[in-house]
């Protein structure tokens, strides 16, 4: 199954057998060294999993902190946008009046 943020990874046992349920065949002297290497790798994987979970919790905490600020900034930018549109409408209206006066003066 795939892992997604917000879910916990299953703890993996360093004593787990190979994919087919049987240990892979090796020379007797190699087994101990390979097993030790695999145990170290699983330890690192589990440590990294814990780091990822802590980072995920920290990200969620920061998102909760930033959310109210985001709402305030959105309201502010919405207000600023409305003010700008209002100003542009007034300038456009004033320009139309000025143009109409000029047209009337030229026509007379």
């Amino acid at each position: 199954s795939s892992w997604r943020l917000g879910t916990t990874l299953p703890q993996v046992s360093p004593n787990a057998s190979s994919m087919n349920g049987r240990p892979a065949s090796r020379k007797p002297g190699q087994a101990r060294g390979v097993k030790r290497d695999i145990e170290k790798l699983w330890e690192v994987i589990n440590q990294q999993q814990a780091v990822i979970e802590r980072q995920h919790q920290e990200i969620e905490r920061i998102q909760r902190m930033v959310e109210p600020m985001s709402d305030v900034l959105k309201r502010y930018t919405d207000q600023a946008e409305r003010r700008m549109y209002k100003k542009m409408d007034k300038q456009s209206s004033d320009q139309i009046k000025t143009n109409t006066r000029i047209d009337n003066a030229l026509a007379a």
Side-chain angles (χ1 to χ4, degrees):
S1 67
S2 64
W3 179 76
R4 289 183 296 166
L5 206 55
T7 62
T8 56
L9 295 173
Q11 289 293 322
V12 182
S13 168
N15 297 322
S17 58
S18 67
M19 297 295 265
N20 62 8
R22 297 182 319 218
S25 60
R26 315 177 185 86
K27 295 179 184 173
Q30 288 180 328
R32 205 175 292 163
V34 171
K35 183 177 179 179
R36 197 171 329 120
D37 290 344
I38 291 172
E39 287 173 351
K40 287 179 186 177
L41 289 172
W42 284 125
E43 184 178 325
V44 169
I45 287 170
N46 288 327
Q47 288 171 352
Q48 291 301 315
Q49 174 188 337
V51 168
I52 289 169
E53 288 175 357
R54 282 194 304 271
Q55 289 173 341
H56 176 67
Q57 290 172 350
E58 182 67 8
I59 288 168
E60 287 180 333
R61 184 186 72 78
I62 290 170
Q63 285 174 334
R64 284 190 303 272
M65 281 178 18
V66 170
E67 194 171 323
M69 212 177 341
S70 174
D71 293 342
V72 168
L73 290 173
K74 180 167 178 9
R75 283 193 303 271
Y76 175 79
T77 55
D78 288 349
Q79 289 172 355
E81 187 177 25
R82 282 192 299 272
R83 283 192 302 267
M84 185 57 70
Y85 283 136
K86 204 175 199 181
K87 184 177 181 179
M88 288 170 54
D89 286 344
K90 183 180 179 333
Q91 288 175 341
S92 178
S93 175
D94 290 347
Q95 188 64 50
I96 290 170
K97 289 177 187 175
T98 302
N99 291 350
T100 303
R101 268 186 272 140
I102 293 172
D103 285 345
N104 291 339
L106 290 175

